[in-house]
Amino acid sequence: MTSSKQDAPAHQPPPREKLTLYCYLVAVIGCMGGLSFGYEGPVVSGLIVNPHFLHIFEDSTSNSNTQALSSQTSSYCKLNSAPLQMYISCSFITAAVATAAAATWTDRFGRKNFILAAAALILSANILQTAATGKTMLFIGRLIMGLDQGFATFTVPVYVAEMSPASLRGRLGTVYSIATTIGQLLAFAINQAVYAGGAEHGWRIVFAALAWCPLVILILLGAVLPGGSSSSISLDQATTDSMHAYCLFNGLNVALPG
């Protein structure tokens, strides 16, 4: 009698994962998401010392013994305007709410849909703040930007991890962290350049500088990339959608049912 080991079929190694075009596109999504998130966070730190930007909040300074915000020679205590303080901090409130919502809603509605929503939100926030004629538009844009930060912070890294081959997951996930740091550096560099230039409407350039990032995300995700495999399972589409995504990102030619 032959042994069970001899009767068992030989172990077939799993197909070798390789870096495909879709992996590069996922890396681009991570890069754009990281750049946008890293840039939008600290960008306000340069605006609060820009006299032309501070001029918008001047009429809110009720203390007659205090100089107008835009005419102060020192940057110390320029935050003595309550509306300016509220403008800076309001995005953190909406970001916290959006992060909590994304933790559960992404499983229900899909990672791709949430990233598309985040990209559309940040694009609209940049447009509103770039074209702002007063505090109201700035506040609305800042609040919307907080929603985007909450959605993107949670969803983009998860999407990149889901759609990356196991052997490349760590490297592709690191792209988001590196891009976030680069976005922070760009925010400070652009703010310094705008401040040094002294143009009256130069602060609008700060908001418009990286508006192309969400556009890239919208185009790539909307036209090319599929949704995350785990979210496909949550949406009861695992049979086709998740396997199709797995084959695309691993460069496999596997016949799918249907």
Side-chain angles (χ1 to χ4, degrees):
M1 180 182 294
T2 56
S3 64
S4 59
K5 291 184 179 180
Q6 292 176 341
D7 293 337
H11 175 69
Q12 296 293 329
R16 183 180 178 182
E17 297 170 334
K18 58 184 180 180
L19 198 60
T20 64
L21 172 63
Y22 290 94
C23 292
Y24 284 110
L25 293 180
V26 165
V28 172
I29 293 295
C31 184
M32 296 298 102
L35 278 176
S36 182
F37 173 70
Y39 183 86
E40 299 295 343
V43 73
V44 73
S45 63
L47 293 173
I48 60 177
V49 296
N50 189 313
H52 300 292
F53 180 77
L54 291 175
H55 180 70
I56 300 174
F57 295 90
E58 273 188 355
D59 58 352
S60 301
T61 306
S62 58
N63 187 353
S64 59
N65 296 323
T66 303
Q67 289 181 313
L69 291 174
S70 62
S71 61
Q72 291 184 20
T73 57
S74 171
S75 61
Y76 182 69
C77 283
K78 279 193 173 182
L79 298 181
N80 53 2
S81 167
L84 182 60
Q85 297 176 36
M86 292 173 61
Y87 169 76
I88 295 171
S89 59
C90 67
S91 66
F92 296 100
I93 300 174
T94 52
V97 173
T99 302
T104 55
W105 290 354
T106 52
D107 287 333
R108 180 177 180 182
F109 299 106
R111 322 284 190 226
K112 175 178 176 178
N113 294 332
F114 255 75
I115 297 177
L116 288 172
L121 284 173
I122 195 59
L123 184 60
S124 60
N126 283 333
I127 292 173
L128 272 174
Q129 294 185 97
T130 301
T133 57
K135 292 189 294 292
T136 301
M137 292 180 69
L138 286 173
F139 268 99
I140 295 175
R142 183 78 175 166
L143 289 168
I144 294 175
M145 190 184 71
L147 291 175
D148 156 74
Q149 289 180 322
F151 288 157
T153 303
F154 182 87
T155 312
V156 172
V158 174
Y159 179 83
V160 172
E162 278 187 352
M163 304 310 293
S164 303
S167 60
L168 303 171
R169 193 164 294 144
R171 280 174 281 178
L172 293 180
T174 305
V175 169
Y176 179 82
S177 299
I178 296 174
T180 300
T181 306
I182 295 174
Q184 294 169 348
L185 177 62
L186 287 174
F188 294 122
I190 293 174
N191 266 318
Q192 176 59 33
V194 169
Y195 183 81
E200 181 179 355
H201 296 287
W203 59 270
R204 300 181 189 275
I205 299 174
V206 175
F207 291 118
L210 289 190
W212 52 269
C213 284
L215 282 176
V216 173
I217 294 175
L218 285 169
I219 293 172
L220 286 181
L221 268 180
V224 180
L225 294 174
S229 55
S230 295
S231 56
S232 297
I233 294 174
S234 300
L235 294 170
D236 296 326
Q237 298 170 348
T239 305
T240 302
D241 289 358
S242 59
M243 282 300 300
H244 177 63
Y246 178 83
C247 294
L248 285 178
F249 284 86
N250 289 276
L252 303 176
N253 293 319
V254 179
L256 299 176

